[in-house]
Amino acid sequence: MAALAWLLIPLFAAVGAAIWGSWAARNRTTGDISELAGYTRFREAMEKSRSGSDVL
């Protein structure tokens, strides 16, 4: 019975590693699209404010 326990420990570790690996490699690009759109709006707003006030 002790030998079975020692064989199950690496099995559970491998299953846990596979679950963690699939979770770590998931697709997380859903939030990037809105962040990039916000950055584009910010950049456009900065360009508009800079072109109207060219004071040296």
Side-chain angles (χ1 to χ4, degrees):
M1 190 64 164
L4 182 61
W6 280 107
L7 290 174
L8 288 178
I9 291 171
L11 178 67
F12 287 141
V15 170
I19 291 171
W20 179 83
S22 64
W23 178 77
R26 71 190 189 280
N27 189 1
R28 291 183 271 183
T29 59
T30 56
D32 292 342
I33 296 169
S34 62
E35 291 176 9
L36 290 175
Y39 177 70
T40 302
R41 288 193 307 269
F42 170 75
R43 201 174 60 214
E44 289 172 355
M46 293 304 289
E47 287 294 326
K48 288 179 185 177
S49 68
R50 189 181 338 167
S51 64
S53 61
D54 288 333
V55 178
L56 294 176

